[in-house]
């Protein structure tokens, strides 16, 4: 006999990912013992991976929802586009941050040519390009254009 899944037991991995993001957000809150720190490349790489996975999830949900509920599917498709814009901005911010000395020391100690996915600094670009191919097949360039422009200094 199988018991029905309670609503609070549904999607445990997604709930765990959300809890992880909330925990990380609280950990970044400045305090007297822990002053605020700017983001580093590793941080943005992990955030980009999270956003890309979320982007894929929303894409799949939009595809599955649209036939039965067209209006809800359109909203999910819009969320899919906005997530891509956020992912793209995180990718751009990654490349604007300087390499830290620790990251350079780590990369010189490893042998990137031995990694199947290439040097670690390129994994964010590979992930971004793969996600970009998917989004460009499903949206127009006008849809992808951000509604506001960021101030570049």
């Amino acid at each position: 006999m199988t018991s029905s899944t309670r609503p609070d037991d549904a999607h445990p991995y997604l709930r765990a990912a959300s809890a992880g993001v909330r925990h990380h957000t609280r950990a970044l809150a400045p305090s007297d013992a822990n002053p605020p720190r700017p983001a580093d490349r590793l941080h943005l790489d992990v955030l980009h991976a999270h956003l890309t996975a979320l982007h894929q999830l929303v894409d799949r949900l939009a595809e599955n929802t649209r036939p039965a509920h067209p209006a809800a599917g359109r909203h999910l498709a819009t969320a899919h586009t906005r997530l891509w814009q956020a992912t793209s901005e995180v990718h751009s911010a990654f490349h604007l941050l300087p390499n830290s000395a620790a990251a350079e020391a780590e990369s010189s100690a490893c042998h990137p040519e031995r990694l199947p996915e290439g040097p670690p600094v390129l994994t964010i670009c590979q992930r971004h390009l793969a996600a970009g191919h998917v989004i460009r097949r499903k949206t127009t360039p006008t849809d992808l254009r951000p509604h506001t422009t960021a101030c570049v200094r």
Side-chain angles (χ1 to χ4, degrees):
M1 177 178 197
T2 59
S3 62
S4 63
T5 304
R6 294 185 345 219
D8 60 344
D9 288 337
H11 313 292
Y13 296 112
L14 191 56
R15 280 196 343 269
S18 298
V21 169
R22 283 191 306 271
H23 172 76
H24 189 69
T25 302
R26 283 191 302 270
L28 286 175
S31 66
D32 292 335
N34 188 17
R37 295 178 313 183
D40 59 8
R41 285 180 138 207
L42 179 60
H43 194 164
L44 292 185
D45 185 24
V46 173
L47 180 60
H48 185 271
H50 185 78
L51 284 170
T52 303
L54 190 58
H55 179 257
Q56 291 170 349
L57 174 63
V58 171
D59 181 37
R60 186 83 34 96
L61 287 171
E63 285 179 5
N64 295 345
T65 303
R66 185 170 282 166
H69 306 284
R74 283 192 301 273
H75 281 284
L76 288 171
T78 300
H80 175 252
T81 302
R82 300 299 179 261
L83 269 171
W84 169 251
Q85 291 169 340
T87 303
S88 187
E89 293 299 328
V90 168
H91 179 253
S92 296
F94 173 89
H95 286 293
L96 291 174
L97 289 176
N99 283 332
S100 67
E104 288 176 15
E106 279 183 30
S107 65
S108 65
C110 73
H111 299 278
E113 66 278 1
R114 296 181 190 166
L115 296 172
E117 66 273 8
V121 73
L122 296 181
T123 57
I124 188 172
C125 295
Q126 291 169 344
R127 184 185 324 114
H128 196 70
L129 286 172
H133 288 298
V134 173
I135 190 79
R136 283 178 180 83
R137 279 184 283 160
K138 297 182 178 200
T139 57
T140 66
T142 303
D143 291 336
L144 295 178
R145 191 172 307 124
H147 294 284
T148 60
T149 57
C151 178
V152 179
R153 293 181 184 188

